[in-house]
Amino acid sequence: MRFPCSLILHAVTCCVALMLVVPGKAAAEELEVSIHGPGQQKVNMYLAPASSLSEENATQTPPLAAELYSAVEGNLAFLPFVNRISSEEILGGAEVGGVKAGDIDFKRFAMGKVDYLLTFGFRRREEGRVQAELRVFRTRSAELFVGRGFVINSPKQGSVAANRFSAAFMEGLTGVAGFFRSRLAFVRIREETRELCSSTPQGDSLKSHVRGQRHIMSPAWSWDGQRIAYVRLAGDRHELNVWDEEDGVRRMTLSGNTIISPAYHPDGRLAVSADPRGNPDIYFLEGDKLGRSVVQNWAIDISPGFDSSGRWMSFVSSRLGNPHIFLKDLEKNRVERISYEGDYNTSAAISPSGQYIAYSRLTDEGHRIFIHDRLKDTTRQLTHGPGDDEDPTWGPDEYFLAFVSNRSGRYRAYIGSRHGGGVKEVETGPGAVKGPDWSPELR
Amino acid sequence: MRVLSSCILSLLIHGLVFALVLLGPFQGSKSAIDLDKPVYEVELVRAPAPEPESKPEQEVSKGEKASQEEPGERPEAAKARQSPARDSGAEKIPRKSRAPERERKKAEKSADTQKRRTREKPEAPRTPTGDAVLDKALQDLQKDVESEREQDRTVSRELENLREQRTAAERGEAASAQREKLYASLVERRIKQNWRFPPVGGDIDLVAVVRVRVEPDGSVAEYTLVSGSGRSDYNDSVLRAIEETERLPEPPRDLDTISITFNLRELRR
Amino acid sequence: MSKRAGVWSIVILAAAMLVFAGCAQKRGAETESVKTQKDQAAQAESEQQKAASKEESAATAEDEAEEEEVEEYGVSEEKAGEKEDRATTDEGLRDKAKQTLKQRIHFAFDSSELSKEAQEALKSKAKILKKNSGIKLVIEGHCDERGTDEYNMALGERRARAAYEYLILLGVDADRMNLVSYGEERPLVEGDNEQAWAKNRRDEFKIKQ
């Protein structure tokens, strides 16, 4: 008889004990917090000065190496998401013992909130050549993030090396490298002549493809980066011209009087705005002649642009009385309106993935670039002048955009990020710049 | 045999009791904080006190000089705004700019009438001196402090209201849940500020979870990466964010563990 | 009194002589060519009359002999100087016609509507074109610098086409006209103000050789 009593008493005391203990434990639950998106879309980076790879302490950096170093500096300066830390900001000094992991005290940099550390080592080689090794480390884990070695014999080679390294670094960071592997085509205007030119988005390696023209405009890259189509006004008629890397210039006259805004479809066909029916409509070319129409009506329809799938085409139409931006689903043959605000929206450009459509809206203060996000269904103003900002074109990474602006007094080309930051002028030399077009990633 | 069976029986009963007591309470209080709208509602509670209520007080205390200058200024400013629009020459533009001007004028008119009403009180002599400027600055400061106190008062008022609305047991739970939500949003904000990562292209989403133990004074005692994203640079960045947030706000009394989920993509509104 | 009158008559005579002397030189001066035309007509007429009267006197002499009705007709002869005058008059006309054809028409902002003045100008052009079937025309459409390049190319096309279609309406053959848009690529005047812009919003008409 004692057995069950003692059992029950035991159980009860256990329960009471647990009751006292458990509320404390029940309260010590986990608070769950969710963070969506980093507070700062950037990384902090420190660039250690160039140092010699060989045993002899070379205090003088050979010019080729110095130029390569400053080319990499310049490239990184173009990336708005790389925040360069100066040596003063690092507690304990920014001395780096060497270029390899074993020589570096990463803790100091990690403490100084530096995420990435670049080292640059050089060595003189035979016949004036220079060997350079570039390493980027993640300071927190002391791991090598990107490492490349180059042997260069000229500043041109140095610039190629700088671009390759910057592309590898950017690809490691963001997954895309288009910025450093693409070119910008544009029309340069000097006095009375115009030229068709292209350069890197930073303005390097400028080439003049077609010279001595009276009036040319609207260059458009093909998706393989081999050709540039453009419009030429010759005397009393318009001509569609295509410059080919290998074959030179091919000229075409089309039916109608006016040729506007050529653009390549990813499948290789060339689309253009022409007016055989008395007002500009959008056609695909078949051979050297106008083929099927894509958009045809009484209104002005110009400026076609295609996403990389080839399904979506952005364009400008005056079908509502004044120019607005529209999007056509070429698969389902449906047209959707994109711009609703303003009275004058032109220069439509759809991004490679099709998610964004950039365009130029005339506001009270002048033309401004706007971006419509199709996924979020929002439209945001990207640029704020002063002057007129026109002709946006997307980089292959969809992060950068190029456009022209006369904010400095005459039209020049500028690069900026999709978020509006990091606007920098593209140094293209003397003359005004019009009609930029950004190539796809070139191999 | 009897001893054995009674041992087994007692073990079973103990086990049952333990299980019930340990698992039971957890059913109700596991709160997966969703940082969508409910949290933002909490933020609204902390919004500044509505201005119209405090404005009349401000008008009277300012001194008539300030309020008299403004009605005079505005028509001129409005005129100045109008002429550039006409000069632009573009036909379609004046239509747009005139509309906002009409709205502005309406707002000015209503503000003017409000001011006129408050001016019924006796006017103080106006002496535009440096002292007056200082006084005004001090008054502005005072107003700021007062409005902050107002905010705090509003917060505590709201909490009190909530408390009054519920029964004793419910009140306890609701208040603690509210406190936890507030704390969660504070933690989210502070750590997010210190989280750096470059913009990554494409649609890929990266997720990493870190468990943090917080001291009662808010300092971070320890942290561990519970689940990684598969990318070491991403994992580095989230751990960095916690390292650089050396101190969190003081947690509610019974809280010491936080589980933080870092999502790369922003929420789609 | 008489002295003054005398002086005045000399002055008037001198002036008249100058005028007549000036009339001898007619190169592209419209008013002068008109004057000389009138002078021509007057001279021709007076010579005709003279010739006629000469014939008359001869005829009346014969009349007395035949007592029949005399067939009478006017005889005129072109002087060497007269030939020259007519040629320069034609040139004067041609130049005037050229000017009318080349006259520009202007447009309102973002519009391709033809104003009353534009329509009148086009009517005069149509007249000339219909009279001179050999002339071919190139119609150029232009825009001011506001607005973007590509859309302005389309707007320029619209402006050129507006003039083109109106001329066809007035009876000009479509084959004789070409249209081309220059968008904002060829401004007439440089300037960042409405005066410059208004001048640049235009159609130009070039005679095709």
Side-chain angles (χ1 to χ4, degrees):
Chain A
M1 273 293 120
R2 266 191 310 180
F3 169 77
C5 284
S6 73
L7 190 69
I8 293 162
L9 199 68
H10 195 120
V12 169
T13 40
C14 279
C15 288
V16 171
L18 280 170
M19 290 290 181
L20 290 171
V21 171
V22 163
K25 236 195 181 167
E29 73 216 44
E30 265 178 23
L31 176 67
E32 287 189 24
V33 173
S34 263
I35 303 180
H36 294 264
Q40 304 161 59
Q41 279 206 319
K42 63 165 188 191
V43 292
N44 292 337
M45 187 162 180
Y46 177 71
L47 273 61
S51 64
S52 173
L53 284 172
S54 52
E55 277 69 48
E56 13 123 3
N57 257 344
T59 44
Q60 257 214 340
T61 313
L64 274 181
E67 280 168 27
L68 172 51
Y69 185 89
S70 76
V72 171
E73 269 186 312
N75 282 352
L76 296 179
F78 258 94
L79 305 180
F81 49 83
V82 171
N83 179 35
R84 190 167 169 187
I85 301 283
S86 65
S87 49
E88 292 90 54
E89 294 175 60
I90 298 167
L91 283 171
E95 287 298 305
V96 171
V99 297
K100 295 184 190 161
D103 309 321
I104 303 168
D105 172 19
F106 288 103
K107 280 212 184 69
R108 209 172 346 118
F109 291 96
M111 298 272 277
K113 297 194 181 183
V114 172
D115 303 304
Y116 293 92
L117 170 67
L118 174 111
T119 65
F120 185 100
F122 61 86
R123 183 187 281 126
R124 280 190 182 77
R125 295 282 286 266
E126 62 292 323
E127 285 154 18
R129 294 190 0 219
V130 163
Q131 178 184 1
E133 281 179 12
L134 292 92
R135 293 175 173 79
V136 176
F137 297 94
R138 283 211 324 268
T139 55
R140 205 181 169 278
S141 54
E143 272 178 50
L144 182 68
F145 184 65
V146 175
R148 289 282 192 280
F150 303 95
V151 180
I152 55 175
N153 62 14
S154 69
K156 203 171 179 188
Q157 285 202 341
S159 151
V160 169
N163 278 354
R164 285 208 202 136
F165 183 76
S166 312
F169 174 61
M170 178 155 168
E171 193 158 28
L173 274 186
T174 64
V176 286
F179 186 81
F180 296 109
R181 291 196 192 124
S182 55
R183 289 177 74 80
L184 209 58
F186 52 92
V187 173
R188 193 158 68 156
I189 303 167
R190 276 198 283 190
E191 275 131 59
E192 287 306 305
T193 53
R194 282 149 211 255
E195 330 163 55
L196 176 67
C197 297
S198 73
S199 75
T200 66
Q202 304 108 285
D204 302 319
S205 164
L206 193 136
K207 293 184 192 158
S208 183
H209 305 296
V210 183
R211 279 198 180 86
Q213 302 293 304
R214 196 78 209 282
H215 293 290
I216 54 171
M217 49 192 288
S218 303
W221 286 97
S222 60
W223 285 79
D224 58 10
Q226 285 282 98
R227 284 174 296 280
I228 302 174
Y230 59 99
V231 175
R232 177 169 172 259
L233 313 191
D236 58 354
R237 61 193 160 78
H238 285 200
E239 235 177 45
L240 176 63
N241 285 11
V242 177
W243 169 82
D244 188 302
E245 180 98 63
E246 290 165 2
D247 304 335
V249 178
R250 186 167 110 245
R251 300 192 205 281
M252 290 171 270
T253 14
L254 306 175
S255 31
N257 295 281
T258 318
I259 300 174
I260 311 175
S261 58
Y264 277 94
H265 187 276
D267 66 11
R269 287 179 296 166
L270 190 51
V272 78
S273 178
D275 63 342
R277 290 169 116 245
N279 73 84
D281 293 318
I282 300 174
Y283 292 83
F284 275 117
L285 286 186
E286 270 159 42
D288 277 8
K289 297 288 158 209
L290 291 179
R292 206 171 49 84
S293 71
V294 188
V295 177
Q296 191 181 78
N297 52 45
W298 60 270
I300 292 172
D301 298 291
I302 55 170
S303 305
F306 302 94
D307 75 322
S308 59
S309 75
R311 174 174 171 183
W312 300 96
M313 182 183 86
S314 58
F315 66 102
V316 175
S317 177
S318 70
R319 59 190 61 187
L320 300 174
N322 37 29
H324 274 285
I325 312 298
F326 292 83
L327 181 69
K328 180 160 186 176
D329 181 344
L330 296 172
E331 241 170 65
K332 301 221 170 119
N333 204 18
R334 282 205 295 246
V335 174
E336 180 193 329
R337 184 179 174 181
I338 298 294
S339 65
Y340 283 86
E341 305 282 327
D343 295 321
Y344 192 105
N345 294 288
T346 57
S347 296
I350 186 167
S351 68
S353 78
Q355 181 174 348
Y356 304 100
I357 300 177
Y359 59 94
S360 185
R361 177 187 302 168
L362 181 57
T363 68
D364 291 352
E365 289 89 41
H367 291 273
R368 297 286 178 266
I369 312 275
F370 282 76
I371 295 185
H372 176 77
D373 184 334
R374 285 175 61 209
L375 215 57
K376 292 187 184 165
D377 197 25
T378 52
T379 303
R380 197 166 39 87
Q381 182 168 347
L382 188 75
T383 66
H384 297 84
D388 297 303
D389 305 322
E390 302 169 31
D391 282 343
T393 173
W394 286 95
D397 49 28
E398 237 172 70
Y399 180 76
F400 286 100
L401 283 138
F403 59 95
V404 286
S405 173
N406 61 7
R407 52 185 64 177
S408 70
R410 60 177 182 161
Y411 280 99
R412 299 288 289 173
Y414 294 82
I415 298 259
S417 83
R418 171 180 94 224
H419 307 284
V423 176
K424 286 195 165 66
E425 184 178 328
V426 181
E427 282 300 324
T428 53
V433 175
K434 288 287 207 114
D437 190 50
W438 205 320
S439 78
E441 200 169 315
L442 305 168
R443 289 293 164 187
Chain B
M1 276 321 284
R2 247 208 180 168
V3 182
L4 188 67
S5 59
S6 65
C7 275
I8 294 168
L9 196 64
S10 94
L11 275 170
L12 278 170
I13 294 170
H14 274 91
L16 203 73
V17 170
F18 271 111
L20 281 169
V21 174
L22 279 170
L23 295 174
F26 272 92
Q27 297 296 331
S29 54
K30 184 129 190 175
S31 50
I33 306 271
D34 183 13
L35 282 181
D36 280 324
K37 284 177 182 172
V39 175
Y40 294 129
E41 278 176 29
V42 171
E43 286 187 46
L44 284 174
V45 165
R46 301 168 75 243
E51 281 180 29
E53 292 169 35
S54 46
K55 238 188 188 171
E57 296 166 40
Q58 290 180 13
E59 296 306 328
V60 173
S61 60
K62 242 183 197 172
E64 299 315 306
K65 170 188 67 170
S67 56
Q68 271 191 6
E69 273 176 13
E70 281 163 51
E73 253 180 17
R74 286 211 189 101
E76 285 168 14
K79 275 183 205 157
R81 261 176 256 141
Q82 263 188 12
S83 38
R86 284 197 201 112
D87 284 345
S88 75
E91 282 168 32
K92 305 223 161 95
I93 294 169
R95 219 193 303 139
K96 251 186 81 186
S97 61
R98 267 184 231 135
E101 278 175 20
R102 262 184 248 130
E103 288 173 23
R104 256 180 254 147
K105 280 191 160 172
K106 276 188 200 157
E108 289 161 16
K109 275 188 190 155
S110 59
D112 282 348
T113 50
Q114 211 184 27
K115 286 205 157 101
R116 273 182 222 128
R117 279 190 215 121
T118 57
R119 245 199 281 165
E120 253 116 66
K121 302 217 169 178
E123 294 186 10
R126 303 182 249 126
T127 43
T129 59
D131 287 336
V133 176
L134 271 170
D135 283 339
K136 188 169 180 296
L138 279 168
Q139 279 168 6
D140 287 342
L141 266 168
Q142 271 182 351
K143 263 169 251 147
D144 286 344
V145 171
E146 272 174 33
S147 65
E148 270 185 41
R149 282 198 207 131
E150 262 293 319
Q151 285 180 37
D152 293 338
R153 267 179 254 148
T154 325
V155 173
S156 43
R157 238 184 282 144
E158 287 292 321
L159 285 171
E160 271 189 47
N161 288 340
L162 285 163
R163 282 188 208 120
E164 280 163 32
Q165 282 168 24
R166 318 232 179 166
T167 62
E170 282 183 326
R171 243 184 268 156
E173 254 187 57
S176 71
Q178 202 77 302
R179 259 179 270 136
E180 280 176 8
K181 275 186 185 169
L182 263 169
Y183 189 68
S185 72
L186 287 170
V187 168
E188 185 247 350
R189 203 177 307 158
R190 208 169 280 196
I191 295 187
K192 182 170 171 132
Q193 262 177 341
N194 291 318
W195 184 26
R196 288 187 302 277
F197 197 72
V200 175
D203 279 329
I204 50 158
D205 199 3
L206 295 169
V207 186
V209 182
V210 180
R211 184 176 291 126
V212 178
R213 193 164 62 75
V214 205
E215 300 285 1
D217 68 349
S219 57
V220 173
E222 54 178 340
Y223 57 94
T224 34
L225 184 69
V226 170
S227 82
S229 61
R231 270 176 67 152
S232 46
D233 58 345
Y234 190 79
N235 298 343
D236 266 3
S237 76
V238 306
L239 292 173
R240 251 247 159 73
I242 292 173
E243 281 159 17
E244 291 179 14
T245 312
E246 288 143 34
R247 209 189 189 87
L248 287 168
E250 287 178 25
R253 203 176 355 111
D254 34 18
L255 205 65
D256 72 345
T257 316
I258 312 173
S259 170
I260 308 174
T261 307
F262 290 83
N263 302 277
L264 179 59
R265 296 295 163 201
E266 296 273 350
L267 281 172
R268 270 190 229 164
R269 272 169 236 127
Chain C
M1 256 315 221
S2 54
K3 235 188 191 174
R4 205 183 284 171
V7 170
W8 271 112
S9 54
I10 291 168
V11 170
I12 290 165
L13 215 76
M17 277 170 64
L18 279 168
V19 168
F20 282 122
C23 282
Q25 296 180 340
K26 309 137 207 149
R27 295 227 174 255
E30 193 188 339
T31 47
E32 281 194 318
S33 66
V34 172
K35 262 194 204 160
T36 45
Q37 222 188 347
K38 286 193 185 143
D39 286 336
Q40 280 304 306
Q43 259 186 310
E45 257 180 69
S46 58
E47 264 152 47
Q48 265 185 20
Q49 282 171 359
K50 275 188 206 159
S53 56
K54 270 189 197 155
E55 293 283 326
E56 248 185 295
S57 48
T60 44
E62 279 179 347
D63 263 350
E64 285 169 359
E66 286 179 356
E67 283 176 344
E68 274 180 25
E69 237 183 317
V70 178
E71 197 182 358
E72 196 181 281
Y73 57 94
V75 173
S76 63
E77 274 189 311
E78 286 190 322
K79 266 202 212 156
E82 281 176 30
K83 246 193 214 154
E84 224 178 51
D85 295 334
R86 198 153 293 167
T88 52
T89 317
D90 281 346
E91 215 179 282
L93 276 168
R94 231 181 288 141
D95 287 334
K96 189 185 182 228
K98 270 192 199 165
Q99 271 185 30
T100 311
L101 282 178
K102 281 190 187 171
Q103 190 191 359
R104 302 183 191 108
I105 59 175
H106 295 268
F107 295 88
F109 178 70
D110 202 24
S111 161
S112 56
E113 252 183 66
L114 297 169
S115 63
K116 276 274 173 278
E117 292 94 355
Q119 290 180 0
E120 288 308 312
L122 288 170
K123 282 182 192 153
S124 324
K125 289 183 217 278
K127 266 192 214 138
I128 296 168
L129 287 168
K130 284 195 278 193
K131 264 193 210 154
N132 302 275
S133 54
I135 298 180
K136 291 195 173 174
L137 212 60
V138 175
I139 308 175
E140 295 178 358
H142 296 262
C143 298
D144 69 28
E145 56 163 11
R146 296 175 292 169
T148 49
D149 298 359
E150 291 177 351
Y151 196 76
N152 274 343
M153 198 55 74
L155 182 60
E157 196 264 359
R158 284 242 147 141
R159 286 178 176 158
R161 192 171 289 279
Y164 170 82
E165 287 176 352
Y166 195 71
L167 286 170
I168 291 175
L169 215 69
L170 294 170
V172 181
D173 207 356
D175 295 341
R176 298 170 58 189
M177 298 183 287
N178 246 40
L179 52 95
V180 64
S181 169
Y182 277 92
E184 58 175 76
E185 304 299 302
R186 257 202 208 153
L188 195 59
V189 287
E190 297 290 337
D192 206 12
N193 50 62
E194 178 52 31
Q195 284 135 316
W197 295 331
K199 286 198 182 132
N200 290 328
R201 296 192 294 266
R202 69 201 192 280
D203 276 349
E204 298 228 5
F205 300 84
K206 304 270 165 77
I207 298 170
K208 207 173 178 180
Q209 297 310 320

